Amino acid sequence: MKSSAPAHMWGIILLLPSLLAGLQTTTARKNGIDIYSLTVDSQVSSRFAHTVVTSRVVNRADAAREATFQLELPRKAFITNFSMVIDGVTYPGTVQDKAVAQEQYQAAVGRGESAGLVKTAGRQTEQFEVSVTVAPKAKITFELVYQELLRRRLGTYELLLKVKPQQLVKHLQMDIHIFEPQGIGFLETESTFMTQELADALTTSQNKTKAHIRFKPTLSQQQHSQNDQDTILDGNFIVRYDVDRSVSGGSIQIENGYFVHHFAPEDLPTMPKNVIFVIDKSGSMLGRKIQQTREALIKILNDLSPKDQFNLIVFNGKETQWRPSLVKASEENVKEATGYASKIEADGWTNINDAVLSAVELLDASNRAEKLPPGSVSLIILLTDGEPTQGETNPTTIQKNVQEAINNRYSLFCLGFGFNVHYPFLEKLAQDNGGLARRIYEDSDSALQLQDFYQEVANPLLSVVSFEYPSDAVEAVTQDNFRYHFKGSEMVVAGKLQAQGPDVLTAKINGQTHKQNITFQMEASVAQKEEEFRSPKYIYHNFMERLWAFLTINQQLEQMISASGAALKELESQALNLALKYNFVTPLTYMVVTKPEGQEQFQAAGKPVDADNGPRDAFLGGQGHFLKTHARRPQLPKRKGTTLHTDPRLSVTGSMFRPDAFPGLPGPPGDPHFPVRFDSHNFRLHHLKIPDMAPFLDVSMPSVTSATRDPVVLSQAVAQSTKKKDAESATPAESTHPAPAVILPLPGSSVGQLCVDILRFHMPINLFEDPDQGLWVGGVYEKDGFSRIEVHIQESRLFVRASPEYVVVIRDQKSSQYKWKQTLFSDLRSLLIVMDQKGFLELSGPDRVTIGVMRISDPQKRLALLVSHAERFSNRTIGQLGQFYQDIIWDPPVGPDNTTRTLRVPGTEYPATRELKLDYREGLPAKKISCWTVKI
């Protein structure tokens, strides 16, 4: 069965590593190393992923060559097995205590042999690499296995593979099997390399509890063109899903004497927040960091609920409070706060201690004055990019001061901006005070990272959550107490059942909403649940015990951050013993890789660490790099082999659509943008006012009832005819053109198409609003084209903002940013989002109007708006362009050569003239066409 993936997008995040068979075609031909098979098989049961990556290589040269297997896998994953098969002999990797591995490493160096340790860490990934010499005409098979518990983040589970073979591979195949006894709520796919031809190699089948996604392109499908030996496969492949959720919000699953309890109640009111933002404005934040912080802070402030209270503290060497006390998140207060935030400038030193203690005192003062609403949640969110340099600078003392001041009454969340920050200090600071730490990576999407973090904690649903199981039924459980449950997340408890326990496992979950205590009760038949995991043939068995061990080790590693003395040693011992028992590569263990006699005998793979984690974790060159000590004998030249690489930045999922808040996303200060609120019941866009920013949408919109329809087939006319060019530079054909008109096909009209010149420079314009399509399009027009185009599609809960620099895609509250000419192919079943390498973005679907956006570079980078399948607009469409799809009337042509006439729309008439206009619908260079033109 071949199908598109379902359209919905809520759920958890499965990060499966990306596939990079790193031999370039030219290198393969020159050196004789050829990857003839590359497969990824991922089996997901109850959010626990078991992934096997297999690469088969042959040395077609007449001399020995070096083959390298490279893999980037999720940083939260544990490698469980690695092996090489050479001439029928298997050379396995073994998991050992770090101390044992270190002895072997030093012995290897002493013998003059090469020894290495993988220590490369990215945003969410880490790299594994092994090299081996292959005899002439010999074959070698690399196989690596890793496991990961999928965490629900902003409502979505996500599987992300980056596929980059860099050569044509005869047998290239990815299989993803998902088994969720709870039921699969939705499933969808996205790719940054997919074309219509490659899409034929993708099949998806799904029933209530199982899904299978297969991608198996032929050699011809992998080629750029018929005579081109380079591969087109270079990018990300993503699978997203969520599970069906019962009224109780949870499910208990049991297999082979172990259980896992997933709990995520959604239908609860959001608890009011008392939130204080503590923002570093020291000199190291100067430039892009402070600009992105301002941008994110403005967006976050506008997302506050009127029920919330808030305040701002900015600090360098000293702290400054925006207001003397917490204030309500009213429209007026938010407006004043965003104005204040937009003027934050960076200079000075960094006094973290006093800034955080000031935030605690603010909350204490409100508490003493009984101004913290009963049942509300109090949060402090600290953003800093450096170490403390003024006031109290000893990290241990700061941690002690803050912990004593907070005293378990509030939660502290720490965001470390960039790599100059002392992240372990922030990590312990957050964990000691009921929060979590997150690194914000310096990149063009840093503001989106900040906003996404806030969305994770923006909607607390429960506090003081505890899980209870009968002592005669359960022998051991993982963490069973949680301070908060946030909307879009999931609490997971795993445990071991008693050998002679009862036939029914019962569970009671206690928590507090902002108004009352609440209890959820569940029960599960042990025999019935066990049976569910005996039937699926393709799902690996006995996984729940490993899931329990995986979760236990991770929680012990987290507890070690705040532990010391005997408690730290006990946690270390427990985690190490479990890791060795279950063969997990963890921060406490390494995998030692053996090789054939005569080759570099020792290579060890461990968990990479960030550069700022200190010398304790820097064994074997752990400063974020791959270290290799060279032997005294000559070394073969290093060649790329098989690599897996993930890029979690491509995630475009988010939390459940909130009908009262549409995520209009502000751009950098000074850029025009459209912050709007969306009422899904009446399909009305309401305008938010943010001071000191560009003007906003100013068009009144009538309240109409939305009626969604199924969406559209992709039109690829532009993509097929556009010439190939550099990702950033313009070709001569792009230059010296006048500003493009918007060309509107007019179904049922003898005119056929209408050209519209826009004269409202620098003003946001409501272009289209069609309640039947659930579509809204707005834009900002400059003298030479659009500088901003924004599209909202209600049914898919999708918002797209295009500027000449990049495209931002928002699903619910989760944002992703794409550079122009970075390909994208997202199949939401009811909607297809495609961006090609030629600078063309298209949103289409069955029975849906197709909206295209194209980046042009004449005379400077601007956007052109393209519309097709316009006959699908309803007669209720409004807007400056939408008005032309109502009942229009053309007067007969008049004047010399019949080049003028009048166009009448309800309530307005426009003079129209016959003119030559540029048509970008078939790509660049644009063609000139003659059409009737009106000016608005």
Side-chain angles (χ1 to χ4, degrees):
M1 171 184 176
K2 177 167 180 171
S3 68
S4 302
H8 312 290
M9 192 191 247
W10 336 320
I12 243 177
I13 296 187
L14 156 67
L15 284 181
L16 201 122
S18 59
L19 194 76
L20 222 132
L23 284 172
Q24 295 183 5
T25 306
T26 54
T27 304
R29 285 198 297 265
K30 178 180 178 181
N31 297 318
I33 295 292
D34 180 32
I35 303 169
Y36 63 90
S37 176
L38 193 55
T39 63
V40 175
D41 184 81
S42 182
Q43 298 177 354
V44 184
S45 291
S46 298
R47 291 75 133 177
F48 194 62
H50 173 92
T51 302
V52 181
V53 182
T54 307
S55 177
R56 292 181 170 87
V57 174
V58 60
N59 178 12
R60 302 191 188 281
D62 295 327
R65 293 289 185 263
E66 186 179 63
T68 302
F69 177 86
Q70 293 177 326
L71 166 74
E72 287 196 25
L73 67 159
R75 296 179 71 172
K76 294 295 185 182
F78 289 161
I79 293 173
T80 67
N81 190 35
F82 175 77
S83 64
M84 298 179 293
V85 181
I86 306 173
D87 292 332
V89 180
T90 299
Y91 300 88
T94 58
V95 176
Q96 297 183 7
D97 183 344
K98 267 189 177 182
V100 176
Q102 186 175 17
E103 290 178 5
Q104 292 191 16
Y105 165 77
Q106 291 171 337
V109 173
R111 293 192 300 269
E113 297 177 358
S114 291
L117 176 69
V118 177
K119 280 293 186 183
T120 302
R123 277 198 187 185
Q124 298 286 339
T125 61
E126 58 197 34
Q127 182 169 296
F128 174 88
E129 177 177 308
V130 170
S131 300
V132 64
T133 302
V134 185
K137 312 305 179 184
K139 295 181 178 180
I140 180 172
T141 297
F142 298 101
E143 182 177 279
L144 186 134
V145 182
Y146 67 91
Q147 294 177 331
E148 181 190 17
L149 176 62
L150 312 181
R151 294 290 188 175
R152 192 168 186 250
R153 179 175 171 267
L154 287 173
T156 302
Y157 303 88
E158 182 174 292
L159 167 65
L160 170 61
L161 272 94
K162 186 167 185 179
V163 183
K164 191 175 182 180
Q166 297 189 14
Q167 66 165 278
L168 302 179
V169 179
K170 184 177 181 180
H171 178 220
L172 177 60
Q173 183 169 330
M174 295 184 291
D175 286 280
I176 300 102
H177 300 277
I178 300 171
F179 175 51
E180 293 289 353
Q182 212 173 323
I184 298 174
F186 79 90
L187 183 73
E188 64 189 28
T189 62
E190 176 182 311
S191 169
T192 62
F193 59 82
M194 198 74 68
T195 63
Q196 288 284 46
E197 291 74 21
L198 269 178
D200 293 335
L202 176 65
T203 57
T204 300
S205 58
Q206 177 188 350
N207 59 24
K208 180 174 175 56
T209 60
K210 300 178 187 176
H212 178 205
I213 299 99
R214 169 170 289 176
F215 180 62
K216 188 178 181 180
T218 64
L219 282 172
S220 62
Q221 288 173 322
Q222 296 174 44
Q223 291 175 286
H224 277 288
S225 60
Q226 186 174 359
N227 298 320
D228 191 345
Q229 293 303 303
D230 290 335
T231 179
I232 199 172
L233 302 181
D234 183 0
N236 299 283
F237 181 77
I238 303 167
V239 177
R240 297 186 183 90
Y241 81 97
D242 193 16
V243 300
D244 290 329
R245 302 198 178 274
S246 64
V247 175
S248 65
S251 72
I252 297 175
Q253 293 161 23
I254 301 171
E255 189 223 24
N256 199 31
Y258 287 82
F259 77 93
V260 60
H261 186 176
H262 299 278
F263 185 65
E266 295 284 320
D267 297 328
L268 296 172
T270 299
M271 304 174 73
K273 302 188 298 296
N274 313 297
V275 57
I276 300 178
F277 302 95
V278 183
I279 307 299
D280 186 348
K281 66 163 190 172
S282 61
S284 57
M285 291 284 290
L286 190 65
R288 191 173 190 176
K289 284 184 184 178
I290 200 67
Q291 175 183 312
Q292 291 177 316
T293 299
R294 289 193 300 256
E295 176 186 344
L297 190 54
I298 289 168
K299 172 63 171 63
I300 288 169
L301 289 170
N302 277 281
D303 280 344
L304 289 171
S305 167
K307 299 184 298 182
D308 296 337
Q309 297 186 112
F310 76 103
N311 204 341
L312 304 174
I313 295 177
V314 294
F315 72 95
N316 44 26
K318 62 179 182 179
E319 73 280 359
T320 303
Q321 294 180 190
W322 170 62
R323 289 287 185 266
S325 61
L326 290 171
V327 299
K328 286 285 187 182
S330 64
E331 183 176 350
E332 181 180 357
N333 286 335
V334 168
K335 179 179 179 180
E336 292 181 12
T338 54
Y340 178 82
S342 68
K343 295 183 177 69
I344 297 174
E345 299 293 342
D347 66 354
W349 299 82
T350 307
N351 189 338
I352 294 175
N353 184 78
D354 290 356
V356 177
L357 293 182
S358 292
V360 177
E361 176 54 34
L362 263 177
L363 290 171
D364 284 345
S366 294
N367 197 19
R368 289 191 296 268
E370 298 183 348
K371 291 183 178 180
L372 299 183
S376 63
V377 173
S378 296
L379 311 175
I380 300 171
I381 298 179
L382 167 68
L383 170 66
T384 181
D385 77 329
E387 299 189 28
T389 58
Q390 189 162 321
E392 179 56 64
T393 59
N394 186 306
T396 302
T397 303
I398 296 173
Q399 289 162 348
K400 179 182 177 183
N401 292 344
V402 172
Q403 188 173 17
E404 288 178 352
I406 290 179
N407 195 25
N408 292 317
R409 295 170 298 157
Y410 319 125
S411 290
L412 173 63
F413 296 85
C414 299
L415 303 179
F417 204 139
F419 275 93
N420 293 326
V421 70
H422 186 11
Y423 189 71
F425 157 64
L426 295 181
E427 198 172 26
K428 181 172 175 13
L429 195 63
Q431 189 177 92
D432 286 346
N433 297 285
L436 57 88
R438 181 73 54 81
R439 188 187 294 281
I440 303 299
Y441 292 85
E442 288 188 66
D443 209 335
S444 60
D445 69 340
S446 295
L448 298 184
Q449 296 177 53
L450 289 167
Q451 294 164 29
D452 284 350
F453 167 80
Y454 173 74
Q455 290 302 330
E456 289 186 51
V457 300
N459 297 292
L461 303 181
L462 285 173
S463 65
V464 195
V465 184
S466 63
F467 290 70
E468 296 179 12
Y469 306 95
S471 58
D472 65 340
V474 174
E475 180 178 327
V477 295
T478 57
Q479 179 186 349
D480 55 6
N481 286 274
F482 302 84
R483 179 169 289 196
Y484 297 116
H485 168 61
F486 296 100
K487 185 175 182 179
S489 67
E490 185 174 60
M491 292 170 282
V492 182
V493 179
K496 183 178 182 181
L497 298 178
Q498 295 280 9
Q500 302 298 324
D503 296 334
V504 175
L505 174 62
T506 61
K508 184 165 69 173
I509 306 98
N510 301 306
Q512 295 177 6
T513 68
H514 72 288
K515 291 185 177 180
Q516 61 183 354
N517 295 333
I518 189 171
T519 298
F520 299 84
Q521 291 189 331
M522 298 187 63
E523 62 179 34
S525 166
V526 175
Q528 179 183 342
K529 293 295 182 179
E530 290 262 15
E531 185 62 29
E532 288 179 345
F533 289 96
R534 293 194 181 101
S535 55
K537 296 181 179 178
Y538 59 77
I539 299 298
Y540 62 101
H541 296 275
N542 299 323
F543 75 93
M544 211 163 285
E545 179 179 356
R546 297 189 65 83
L547 187 158
W548 166 80
F550 181 97
L551 193 57
T552 300
I553 293 170
N554 268 297
Q555 290 174 356
Q556 289 168 339
L557 293 172
E558 290 174 0
Q559 292 166 20
M560 285 167 56
I561 295 172
S562 297
S564 60
L568 174 61
K569 289 183 179 180
E570 178 64 20
L571 286 169
E572 238 177 60
S573 175
Q574 292 173 359
L576 175 61
N577 290 336
L578 273 179
L580 293 174
K581 178 180 178 179
Y582 290 96
N583 216 52
F584 286 141
V585 178
T586 73
L588 302 175
T589 53
Y590 285 131
M591 174 169 282
V592 176
V593 180
T594 58
K595 292 187 178 182
E597 190 70 28
Q599 298 197 32
E600 302 163 3
Q601 288 290 298
F602 181 95
Q603 279 192 305
K607 298 290 285 184
V609 295
D610 289 334
D612 56 8
N613 275 10
R616 185 181 69 173
D617 296 318
F619 164 56
L620 293 182
Q623 296 301 311
H625 303 287
F626 178 76
L627 172 73
K628 209 168 185 70
T629 57
H630 295 283
R632 290 190 290 264
R633 60 183 175 82
Q635 298 295 303
L636 288 168
K638 190 69 173 287
R639 294 182 177 86
K640 294 290 185 183
T642 306
T643 308
L644 275 135
H645 181 72
T646 51
D647 187 356
R649 288 173 293 184
L650 214 68
S651 172
V652 296
T653 62
S655 60
M656 188 76 73
F657 178 72
R658 288 171 27 207
D660 64 330
F662 175 69
L665 183 64
D671 280 0
H673 58 286
F674 300 90
V676 295
R677 287 195 182 276
F678 180 74
D679 183 342
S680 65
H681 301 292
N682 294 320
F683 199 76
R684 177 189 292 272
L685 293 167
H686 306 282
H687 319 300
L688 303 178
K689 303 296 183 180
I690 301 180
D692 300 319
M693 302 294 285
F696 300 121
L697 202 58
D698 192 4
V699 181
S700 62
M701 303 179 190
S703 174
V704 291
T705 302
S706 110
T708 56
R709 295 179 179 174
D710 291 334
V712 110
V713 169
L714 173 68
S715 165
Q716 296 248 5
V718 174
Q720 292 173 353
S721 61
T722 305
K723 296 285 193 290
K724 198 171 186 178
K725 58 185 182 297
D726 181 78
E728 295 297 331
S729 62
T731 63
E734 294 179 271
S735 59
T736 69
H737 290 322
V742 180
I743 301 175
L744 300 178
L746 296 179
S749 168
S750 60
V751 172
Q753 58 193 19
L754 170 70
C755 294
V756 181
D757 285 339
I758 299 175
L759 304 181
R760 300 185 179 192
F761 301 148
H762 310 292
M763 285 184 59
I765 307 170
N766 176 28
L767 299 171
F768 297 103
E769 182 182 348
D770 185 351
D772 289 5
Q773 288 273 314
L775 171 70
W776 175 83
V777 182
V780 175
Y781 199 85
E782 309 288 341
K783 290 184 178 181
D784 46 7
F786 285 98
S787 61
R788 187 71 56 89
I789 293 175
E790 303 194 350
V791 182
H792 173 246
I793 297 176
Q794 179 189 10
E795 182 183 6
S796 300
R797 307 180 314 283
L798 176 78
F799 174 77
V800 176
R801 184 191 74 189
S803 69
E805 290 74 36
Y806 46 75
V807 174
V808 173
V809 178
I810 302 175
R811 292 291 302 272
D812 299 318
Q813 299 295 313
K814 179 67 175 68
S815 310
S816 296
Q817 181 175 291
Y818 306 89
K819 296 179 181 178
W820 279 102
K821 304 181 184 181
Q822 173 184 345
T823 56
L824 172 66
F825 190 100
S826 183
D827 184 357
L828 313 183
R829 191 166 72 175
S830 64
L831 182 71
L832 192 63
I833 309 172
V834 175
M835 182 164 62
D836 63 23
Q837 293 180 331
K838 306 170 184 76
F840 178 71
L841 172 72
E842 188 173 67
L843 293 84
S844 60
D847 302 321
R848 179 175 292 284
V849 175
T850 298
I851 301 295
V853 181
M854 189 172 197
R855 191 180 73 158
I856 55 178
S857 303
D858 183 19
Q860 56 183 316
K861 292 176 182 176
R862 292 291 183 230
L863 304 173
L865 177 66
L866 309 173
V867 180
S868 60
H869 297 109
E871 70 279 2
R872 295 165 180 168
F873 274 124
S874 73
N875 60 9
R876 296 199 294 162
T877 303
I878 61 173
Q880 295 298 311
L881 299 179
Q883 64 180 322
F884 299 112
Y885 291 94
Q886 299 182 19
D887 297 325
I888 63 173
I889 299 173
W890 288 94
D891 287 354
V894 296
D897 301 323
N898 291 328
T899 56
T900 63
R901 65 194 307 183
T902 299
L903 170 62
R904 302 179 189 276
V905 300
T908 311
E909 61 180 46
Y910 293 95
T913 57
R914 198 77 184 177
E915 297 180 15
L916 289 177
K917 293 294 180 182
L918 290 175
D919 185 357
Y920 289 89
R921 290 176 296 177
E922 293 185 7
L924 296 171
K927 296 179 180 179
K928 289 186 177 181
I929 63 170
S930 175
C931 64
W932 289 103
T933 303
V934 301
K935 302 181 187 303
I936 61 172

